[in-house]
Amino acid sequence: MVEVTVTPQSSLSDRPVQIRVRGLSPSQLVTLRAWLKDEQGECFQSRAFFRADGAGEVDPGLHAALGGSYSGVWPMGLFWFLQPDTLFRRLVKRDVAGSPFRVRLEVFDGLCLGTDPRQQPLGSCEAERWYVGPGVQRVPIREGRVRGALFLPP
């Protein structure tokens, strides 16, 4: 059974996480895909192709991506290289304190270039990426023509 894990599962968006895939065949070629829907329902995704090591594992922090959205060793590459399905869209978080981005991580057998809904992933998991930590207070600022927000730690 193929298992995809992200550690920690819930974290602040500027904190690194570790992605691991276990249970593959040694030297198996796989596609690791990350995707999310923003607050407007727009889909952003990235993918990278990997060859499993001798133990049947893939770790983007140790193993080089062979291609896809990036190549080489980028531990956070699947998060950094998220691209919109619709051109000229930007990934922006409006409700920074109320909810996280939920990033879905999936692993597919072989090279998977499209998003065929009939193709089932070998394994998947979900990561929460928060923009504001627990207990942080958001104070709106309105002074003359200045508008903004002050975030106060607990």
Side-chain angles (χ1 to χ4, degrees), residues 88-124:
F88 309 113
R89 300 287 182 152
R90 290 186 331 141
L91 185 58
V92 177
K93 184 74 171 136
R94 303 265 184 235
D95 179 18
V96 294
S99 64
F101 272 139
R102 296 186 196 303
V103 183
R104 188 89 180 147
L105 297 161
E106 300 172 327
V107 64
F108 295 91
D109 187 29
L111 298 178
C112 178
L113 298 172
T115 55
D116 184 357
R118 295 171 296 178
Q119 188 170 16
Q120 293 297 313
L122 300 173
S124 64

Side-chain angles (χ1 to χ4, degrees), residues 132-137 151-154:
V132 175
V136 172
Q137 230 180 1
F151 292 89
L152 296 171

